[in-house]
Amino acid sequence: MTVQYVLKEGQSILFYAEVETPMLDAMILLSEAREESKEKLLSSLPEAVSEKDYLRYRRLLDLRCSGQPVSYIRRRKEFYSLDFYVDERVLVPRPDTEILVEEALNTLHEMPLIRRLHDACTGSGCIAITLKHELPELEITASDKFPEVEEIFYLNSTKNLSFPLTFYLSDLLEDVPGNYDLITANPPYLKDTDVENMKKIGWPEPELALKGGLDGTTVAKRLIEQSVQKLYSGGFLLLEAAPDQMKDLMGAAESAGFREISIIKDLAGRERVFKARMHY
Ligand code: GLN
């Protein structure tokens, strides 16, 4: 069987399993099974696939049909051109979160005196590690409430930076020492009921990294309140949130003493990143 033949076969298997991008996923999984790049795969269409690689490919297709995302199957996800290890213990980094990273970088370019950064609810560490990679002179720490995340964070930090960033095990900022110029977070922000419904249909990501309470804003609002104590005056808070939460978060931030609130849209034009500045 040729590469071309098994790709078509995989595409059809995934199509009938209602996978959204069957050809792309078949290509990624066959590349994974053959341990070669997608580009190499596409230049090898007439080549024969060995039995060992074919069996491996079929096993990966089975996992994909059972609802595993490609990133968990491959145990990796690209984010801001870096390579992150991911598994069922952490959310898969999303392009939406790259918007938050970009906004943090804009803020840092505008405010050259900013030095100390903290990333709460860090998960795979994609925000903290990417920012440190882009601006090595910054002091960046990260935290997460879930102990199972720590190992993944260190792995990603060592893989992308060649050294481990500081990680605190902490419920939001409760056990995070010191004060900061910029606090970032992609907190859980989906409605509990939505996450429960997603879980019923087999959603593979950790529910505690998604559940943001009754209306999805519980964690973000706690973070806004805690940030008041942890930000230097004039410091910034950057949060990822859902478009329908922005008004509510704006109210919470204004009453907590934040000013200069702005909302940044994601690639699909939806309001996705909430930015506010501590009064000074
Ligand atoms: N962006 C995710 C989603 O919409 C939610 C991530 C989160 O809760 N932090 O599925």
Side-chain angles (χ1 to χ4, degrees):
M1 282 179 299
T2 62
V3 166
Q4 181 164 12
Y5 179 88
V6 306
L7 270 181
K8 281 237 155 81
E9 183 189 42
Q11 177 188 25
S12 135
I13 291 171
L14 295 177
F15 175 80
Y16 285 109
E18 296 180 6
V19 169
E20 260 176 45
T21 49
M23 185 37 117
L24 179 66
D25 289 13
M27 272 182 340
I28 296 173
L29 296 178
L30 186 56
S31 310
E32 184 73 11
R34 284 165 58 94
E35 294 176 25
E36 66 185 11
S37 69
K38 234 170 35 211
E39 291 67 32
K40 174 83 183 30
L41 182 83
L42 290 174
S43 62
S44 324
L45 294 178
E47 271 179 31
V49 177
S50 74
E51 192 181 344
K52 189 164 136 265
D53 289 350
Y54 180 67
L55 292 176
R56 205 185 297 166
Y57 172 59
R58 289 299 301 245
R59 202 175 52 80
L60 300 180
L61 286 172
D62 281 348
L63 287 172
R64 186 71 192 98
C65 288
S66 75
Q68 284 282 313
V70 165
S71 309
Y72 284 164
I73 296 174
R74 301 176 69 220
R75 299 266 185 253
R76 64 202 291 185
K77 172 74 183 175
E78 188 183 298
F79 180 85
Y80 220 87
S81 304
L82 296 178
D83 190 21
F84 287 84
Y85 172 90
V86 289
D87 66 23
E88 295 79 355
R89 292 173 286 178
V90 293
L91 287 189
V92 176
R94 309 273 204 280
D96 293 343
T97 309
E98 291 180 337
I99 305 292
L100 188 153
V101 166
E102 236 150 50
E103 188 55 32
L105 291 171
N106 290 341
T107 311
L108 293 162
H109 286 128
E110 282 164 22
M111 300 274 161
L113 291 180
I114 288 189
R115 277 284 162 271
R116 285 176 55 81
L117 257 82
H118 184 76
D119 180 43
C121 310
T122 199
S124 64
C126 62
I127 298 175
I129 293 166
T130 305
L131 289 174
K132 183 71 181 174
H133 185 265
E134 294 296 305
L135 297 169
E137 69 279 12
L138 294 173
E139 286 173 47
I140 302 184
T141 58
S143 59
D144 204 286
K145 182 179 170 183
F146 305 110
E148 61 272 25
V149 159
E150 190 169 354
E151 187 190 350
I152 298 180
F153 177 84
Y154 283 133
L155 203 143
N156 280 325
S157 155
T158 311
K159 182 168 160 175
N160 286 296
L161 302 169
S162 318
F163 60 87
L165 276 185
T166 303
F167 176 92
Y168 302 112
L169 195 58
S170 170
D171 183 7
L172 297 181
L173 305 173
E174 260 171 35
D175 296 311
V176 174
N179 288 85
Y180 296 88
D181 301 301
L182 172 59
I183 293 175
T184 56
N186 174 15
Y189 62 74
L190 301 185
K191 295 184 182 75
D192 285 356
T193 45
D194 287 348
V195 179
E196 276 147 27
N197 289 332
M198 283 155 70
K199 280 284 157 192
K200 274 187 208 146
I201 55 164
W203 195 268
E205 291 182 301
E207 66 176 292
L208 295 175
L210 294 166
K211 274 183 162 179
L214 221 59
D215 68 352
T217 63
T218 308
V219 185
K221 283 182 183 156
R222 272 187 67 215
L223 197 52
I224 288 173
E225 278 160 27
Q226 290 185 3
S227 298
V228 174
Q229 303 301 321
K230 301 302 283 179
L231 280 173
Y232 290 121
S233 62
F236 293 87
L237 176 65
L238 272 176
L239 296 180
E240 187 176 320
D244 63 351
Q245 299 170 346
M246 296 300 176
K247 243 200 177 133
D248 209 8
L249 296 186
M250 225 179 247
E254 274 169 359
S255 30
F258 283 94
R259 303 284 174 265
E260 299 179 30
I261 295 172
S262 54
I263 313 289
I264 300 101
K265 290 186 174 162
D266 64 19
L267 298 170
R270 290 171 303 220
E271 297 187 335
R272 185 61 64 189
V273 176
F274 178 88
K275 181 178 178 184
R277 187 168 195 193
M278 200 60 234
H279 67 79
Y280 58 100

